[in-house]
Amino acid sequence: MQQHLLLPAQQHPPRPSRPRTLAGLLTAAAATAGLLMTALVPGAQAAANLYERGPAPTNASIEASRGSYATSQTSVSSLAVSGFGGGTIYYPTSTADGTFGAVVISPGFTAYQSSIAWLGPRLASQGFVVFTIDTNTTVDQPDSRGRQLLSALDYLTQRSSVRTRVDATRLGVMGHSMGGGGSLEAAKSRTSLKAAIPLTGWNTDKTWPELRTPTLVVGADGDTVAPVATHSEPFYQSLPGSLDKAYLELRGASHFTPNSSDTTIAKYSISWLKRFIDNDTRYEQFLCPIPRPSLTIAEYRGNCPHSS
């Protein structure tokens, strides 16, 4: 075995010092300043997601009835718009965090925006601009509701009093019953949408291979109006295999469960919207690994990990 002897330091003659140039001194000073700034600015070492809004989530924070943002709301008269029936916009009061992603929500057959109003402040307080709408008539079919959702998005981003608070590149749609079927229609028509969530959706069209929008399909095990076997399950199964998608079947729930405040619907809707409208991977933990059956979840399917 070879042995390497370490000579005492005094046996090595000292190197002559080199005069430092002005350029060298400036480079060293800049490097030192950069290190100081990195130490002083939290998170400066890694570029943060510019779309993250709100504190790091916990299970408790996404199950809470309100998130970290104080919210305000404004009514939109049907007389002031075209293409849909007006509604209510809920939004974070503060503008300190810049713009927010937005979601428009349609009610179901024969229903008004009041039937989905609970979602407005609940989602807005998590860092979204939320527009719950009335449709032109209460009997409008899903294809019409899909067009109305898109009209409402256009109004929200282009003409509404809160348009400067909205990032028009980060939009989603939701809906209950025929409004849920309408959310699928909207996503089919406008592939730039970032998220779609049909809640106990109803539609005569059962297949959606054209969708390119990350979609969370929510069904109810006791739904007799839009049974999961003939609506939510075929919707989910027909979505492209490469698409970020999930199927949540609520346990002990009916077709009308989305019309009242529901923690499970809120928890997974918030997580889905955050993950795909805001590209906030902090919420991936609530979607992947796949949630297991529980007292409120009869079944959950999906593809993990998510790609976008």
Side-chain angles (χ1 to χ4, degrees):
M1 177 183 297
Q2 291 183 340
Q3 294 185 344
H4 300 277
L5 298 178
L6 180 63
L7 295 177
Q10 61 268 24
Q11 293 184 20
H12 294 277
R15 296 181 180 177
S17 60
R18 298 178 180 175
R20 302 190 70 175
T21 65
L22 177 59
L25 290 170
L26 291 174
T27 300
T32 302
L35 289 173
L36 286 173
M37 288 301 294
T38 299
L40 292 172
V41 179
Q45 289 178 308
N49 172 12
L50 296 177
Y51 304 137
E52 285 183 5
R53 297 292 181 268
T58 64
N59 200 61
S61 74
I62 60 173
E63 290 186 350
S65 60
R66 290 293 182 273
S68 62
Y69 288 93
T71 63
S72 301
Q73 64 188 72
T74 183
S75 296
V76 178
S77 169
S78 61
L79 301 177
V81 301
S82 62
F84 65 104
T88 305
I89 303 172
Y90 304 83
Y91 57 95
T93 305
S94 172
T95 58
D97 289 343
T99 57
F100 296 91
V103 59
V104 175
I105 311 176
S106 167
F109 188 65
T110 73
Y112 297 92
Q113 61 163 319
S114 58
S115 66
I116 46 159
W118 71 273
L119 283 162
R122 190 143 183 179
L123 298 180
S125 67
Q126 295 285 348
F128 294 100
V129 175
V130 183
F131 196 4
T132 58
I133 65 169
D134 279 318
T135 46
N136 289 324
T137 77
T138 59
V139 295
D140 290 335
Q141 297 298 298
D143 58 344
S144 173
R145 290 171 192 265
R147 292 191 296 273
Q148 293 180 59
L149 283 166
L150 297 181
S151 293
L153 279 174
D154 292 340
Y155 171 82
L156 184 63
T157 58
Q158 298 169 20
R159 295 178 50 210
S160 76
S161 62
V162 300
R163 61 189 179 278
T164 59
R165 299 172 184 260
V166 179
D167 182 343
T169 68
R170 298 188 290 120
L171 306 174
V173 288
M174 296 177 65
H176 171 239
S177 191
M178 283 195 182
S183 71
L184 295 171
E185 299 279 0
K188 176 181 175 180
S189 298
R190 188 171 296 180
T191 57
S192 62
L193 294 178
K194 302 299 185 185
I197 306 178
L199 303 169
T200 58
W202 188 100
N203 201 312
T204 55
D205 186 349
K206 312 300 184 185
T207 59
W208 301 92
E210 313 93 338
L211 262 64
R212 299 296 179 265
T213 297
T215 301
L216 168 63
V217 178
V218 179
D221 62 354
D223 193 336
T224 57
V225 177
V228 293
T230 55
H231 289 78
S232 293
E233 286 187 304
F235 296 165
Y236 171 77
Q237 291 166 352
S238 69
L239 295 171
S242 59
L243 184 68
D244 287 312
K245 60 180 181 176
Y247 170 74
L248 167 62
E249 185 174 316
L250 303 170
R251 186 187 298 278
S254 76
H255 183 69
F256 301 102
T257 294
N259 293 151
S260 302
S261 179
D262 185 273
T263 297
T264 304
I265 291 174
K267 175 180 181 177
Y268 292 101
S269 295
I270 290 165
S271 298
W272 197 261
L273 297 174
K274 284 285 191 178
R275 179 63 184 82
F276 294 105
I277 289 182
D278 289 353
N279 195 30
D280 193 338
T281 55
R282 298 179 300 173
Y283 288 81
E284 181 84 353
Q285 62 182 303
F286 307 111
L287 304 171
C288 296
I290 298 297
R292 304 182 65 136
S294 66
L295 292 175
T296 60
I297 298 176
E299 183 182 0
Y300 194 107
R301 303 178 221 167
N303 51 3
C304 287
H306 297 115
S307 60
S308 59

